[in-house]
Amino acid sequence: MFVVGLTGGIGSGKTAASDYLASKGITVVDADLVSRLVVQPGQPALQAIAERFGAGVIQPDGTLDRRALREIVFADPSARKDLEAITHPAIGAEILRQLQTSSSPYTLLVSPLLLESSQHKMAQRILLIDVPEALQLSRTASRDQVAETQVKAIMAAQMSRADKHQRADDIVTNDADLASLHRQLDTLHETYLKMAHAHA
Ligand code: ATP
């Protein structure tokens, strides 16, 4: 199993990049989707969250009240730690399960928190999608229809570009059109196919 971990800041183009590699037949495991999956009704992590944070974080239909939970952990770092202690192992286990069921030559693990969490340990190679901050701001604000100040606050809370650069094996600069992104990915795709072959 050869896993390429793909990361980047908000609005950097992770989805644009992973959609392209998926169109070439590469299986994509999406850590954001997994993080929602493990707190679905009936999942042990949801039960543990309800026990730690109270019935107030569960909506009448049995699903997680994300907003209520966000407000609690935003105000209380120890609550955040408790939440992560519940969710991170469940997310890690489900990511690993999905990676193991992949049969494509290599598998992409797409995660905004690849480097901040232990998820990077599941990847043999780290690919960073990098974008100048001004472009990151304008693309995200226009995609999400939100103010640039709101995007700036999220960017400030994420790992700095410089730190991400240091940790990445490969960097794609997504500062031009999609064709340019795809060209850079074409080259890396060939490299990853060779690496995966050698790794097998
Ligand atoms: P998030 O972290 O918020 O999930 P992301 O890293 O997955 O974001 P995308 O959604 O792929 O980022 O890209 C952000 C926005 O920028 C999208 O609207 C996307 O269509 C657009 N975009 C990405 N790359 C390019 C490009 N090269 N040229 C023009 N628009 C782009």
Side-chain angles (χ1 to χ4, degrees):
M1 181 170 74
F2 191 79
V3 178
V4 176
L6 186 155
T7 193
I10 180 170
S12 55
K14 294 180 293 297
T15 306
S18 58
D19 282 355
Y20 181 64
L21 293 171
S23 78
K24 290 174 165 284
I26 297 304
T27 299
V28 175
V29 175
D30 182 330
D32 263 348
L33 284 183
V34 170
S35 70
R36 286 196 281 270
L37 191 72
V38 301
V39 293
Q40 290 300 305
Q43 294 290 322
L46 186 63
Q47 179 70 31
I49 289 170
E51 281 166 16
R52 165 62 179 80
F53 297 98
V57 299
I58 307 296
Q59 304 189 96
D61 67 357
T63 60
L64 182 63
D65 187 338
R66 292 175 169 276
R67 179 186 290 236
L69 187 60
R70 205 162 35 234
E71 274 166 21
I72 295 172
V73 300
F74 187 72
D76 178 356
S78 82
R80 172 179 288 269
K81 278 218 159 68
D82 288 349
L83 176 62
E84 288 174 353
I86 294 168
T87 56
H88 283 189
I91 293 168
E94 175 60 18
I95 287 176
L96 191 61
R97 192 193 68 76
Q98 292 192 10
L99 290 173
Q100 283 168 341
T101 61
S102 165
S103 57
S104 65
Y106 66 90
T107 306
L108 267 192
L109 167 56
V110 180
S111 174
L113 296 175
L114 189 76
L115 300 174
E116 290 88 338
S117 70
S118 57
Q119 289 165 13
H120 61 92
K121 293 183 191 155
M122 290 188 266
Q124 276 69 48
R125 194 93 188 157
I126 305 289
L127 167 58
L128 174 66
I129 310 298
D130 187 45
V131 66
E133 276 155 17
L135 207 48
Q136 186 181 8
L137 258 181
S138 60
R139 281 183 185 160
T140 309
S142 89
R143 181 196 60 186
D144 298 346
Q145 299 287 298
V146 295
E148 291 201 354
T149 47
Q150 208 172 319
V151 183
K152 267 190 187 154
I154 296 170
M155 283 166 60
Q158 295 187 334
M159 186 187 279
S160 74
R161 261 178 94 195
D163 284 348
K164 284 190 179 130
H165 266 250
Q166 277 217 321
R167 309 259 312 263
D169 298 302
D170 305 303
I171 300 174
V172 160
T173 306
N174 187 20
D175 62 353
D177 58 9
L178 283 175
S180 158
L181 174 70
H182 295 170
R183 270 196 304 276
Q184 295 177 72
L185 291 169
D186 283 339
T187 307
L188 281 170
H189 177 66
E190 293 306 320
T191 306
Y192 294 150
L193 288 176
K194 287 193 190 112
M195 283 180 171
H197 190 69
H199 184 79

